[in-house]
Amino acid sequence: MKETPREHGMLPTADGQRIYWEEWGEESGAPALYLHGGPGGTCGRSGYRNRFDLSRTRVIGFDQRGCGRSLPHASDPATSLDSNTTAHLIRDIETLREARGVESWVVNGVSWGSTLALAYAQAHPDRVAGVVLFAVTTTSRREVDWITEGVGAVFPEAWDRFATHAERAGTGYRRGRDRLVEAYDRLLNSPDPAVRDAASREWARWEDVHVSIGAGGFARDPRWDDDAYRLAFARLVAHYWSNDGFADPPLLERMDRLRDIPGILIHGRRDVSGPTLTAVEVHRRWPGSTLIIDEQDGHGGPTMVQHWSEANARLLRLHEA
């Protein structure tokens, strides 16, 4: 398979960002958009393209503002995150759609990307031909507090280390009284590079811990070796999570906007980080959706990936009908 995108470039935005984008597949194919996880996860090596029949699909992906090849980069403390919100990302998607001459597309979102996919579809339902969500999230306060604190009931030793770091870092954080995610948000925006670095390493370790059950055990993600990636990822995640995904009102309260859009939701039963409850609630409020719960996988895995490919093939058939 061709290892470089058919087209790629940097998209300027009205507020001074430069967004990296890429296209794979057939130029005349049915358009599809890929939204990566994180926030800050990036398109990486573009493996998402393998979830589509590229002989019939025009697949577009991009690195969300502040991460990957997009500029300015969130690893630089001088990069303000004031203009990095869900509303800004939705505008970036629309700017990209218009620039690439797409009328409507099938939107794919993975993990955090599923939150962004829902938010975009709710804002622009007329531009969405279908939605595929993988590891479903809405980034509600309940979900954020679970993944940063509640899941400590499953991993108490690791969570104690995660919380202790914040308590000893001079943020004023006290467990049981304050939100841990807000303490880390302050640490990751510290003017002291050593403080930012230490906080990003603790955040990365906690990420590896809470996904471990569905991933076959604890393993360190090699992407953390890239300082810029790790710092941007941790800073962006803490920024969005401490603001409940910048979704006001919460996404679950606006699901009626998707009533005419077909959707396929794929979630792993063993996803301890994001319990199945969220996927079920989204499905219940979205009559046009199909829910697939994979009993074996967690926050991703081989059988979930197979469901992902099949979901895109199914929506492509609907799009072509």
Side-chain angles (χ1 to χ4, degrees):
M1 180 178 291
K2 186 179 179 182
E3 294 299 323
T4 56
R6 179 172 49 76
E7 291 188 63
H8 63 96
M10 299 294 287
L11 177 73
T13 69
D15 59 351
Q17 304 279 323
R18 297 179 65 221
I19 307 299
Y20 170 80
W21 61 270
E22 59 186 31
E23 283 198 25
W24 301 85
E26 180 58 49
E27 185 174 6
S28 61
L33 173 69
Y34 168 73
L35 300 174
H36 64 70
T42 82
C43 288
R45 297 181 179 178
S46 309
Y48 65 87
R49 71 188 189 276
N50 299 319
R51 309 284 71 82
F52 302 85
D53 180 350
L54 296 182
S55 68
R56 302 162 60 202
T57 316
R58 176 189 180 192
V59 183
I60 302 173
F62 72 100
D63 288 338
Q64 294 159 28
R65 56 172 62 197
C67 69
R69 287 149 287 193
S70 294
L71 297 170
H73 205 265
S75 62
D76 182 351
T79 299
S80 171
L81 298 187
D82 289 346
S83 61
N84 204 318
T85 70
T86 302
H88 287 91
L89 296 181
I90 290 171
R91 286 198 288 273
D92 291 345
I93 295 170
E94 273 296 276
T95 300
L96 179 61
R97 182 190 62 76
E98 292 171 355
R100 303 309 302 157
V102 173
E103 183 66 23
S104 65
W105 42 16
V106 173
V107 178
N108 279 232
V110 172
S111 192
W112 152 257
S114 65
T115 292
L116 182 54
L118 287 171
Y120 173 74
Q122 291 176 1
H124 299 282
D126 55 326
R127 300 302 182 185
V128 178
V131 177
V132 177
L133 305 183
F134 181 99
V136 182
T137 70
T138 68
T139 316
S140 65
R141 176 160 295 214
R142 182 191 68 194
E143 292 168 77
V144 170
D145 285 350
W146 168 259
I147 201 171
T148 54
E149 303 194 41
V151 78
V154 182
F155 304 104
E157 306 95 333
W159 188 83
D160 180 67
R161 170 175 171 159
F162 189 45
T164 297
H165 179 82
E167 286 178 322
R168 293 177 176 175
T171 64
Y173 165 77
R174 283 179 54 191
R175 67 182 74 190
R177 184 193 68 182
D178 307 310
R179 295 186 80 208
L180 184 55
V181 67
E182 293 175 359
Y184 269 90
D185 186 48
R186 293 192 293 274
L187 291 173
L188 290 161
N189 285 283
S190 168
D192 186 337
V195 171
R196 296 194 303 273
D197 182 74
S200 74
R201 293 180 186 278
E202 291 300 326
W203 188 280
R205 188 179 188 280
W206 177 245
E207 287 273 348
D208 289 337
V209 166
H210 67 66
V211 301
S212 62
I213 288 181
F218 178 85
R220 186 174 183 278
D221 190 329
R223 293 178 297 177
W224 305 136
D225 292 333
D226 181 336
D227 290 344
Y229 175 86
R230 187 186 65 253
L231 285 162
F233 182 95
R235 188 181 179 210
L236 285 167
V237 175
H239 172 64
Y240 275 83
W241 285 7
S242 62
N243 287 284
D244 305 330
F246 295 98
D248 185 21
L251 297 183
L252 281 174
E253 296 180 13
R254 299 183 290 177
M255 294 304 299
D256 61 301
R257 301 184 184 187
L258 277 61
R259 58 182 174 271
D260 298 324
I261 299 174
I264 301 176
L265 319 178
I266 304 162
H267 203 83
R269 180 74 75 187
R270 298 184 182 183
D271 191 344
V272 175
S273 308
T276 310
L277 176 62
T278 296
V280 169
E281 288 182 332
V282 171
H283 173 57
R284 285 174 176 166
R285 299 182 187 218
W286 186 2
S289 68
T290 298
L291 175 61
I292 300 170
I293 298 177
D294 190 299
E295 299 293 343
Q296 303 303 314
D297 281 345
H299 200 68
T303 56
M304 283 181 67
V305 167
Q306 181 180 348
H307 288 308
W308 184 8
S309 298
E310 292 169 352
N312 276 304
R314 176 177 169 183
L315 290 186
L316 177 61
R317 289 192 296 269
L318 288 175
H319 189 70
E320 293 177 333

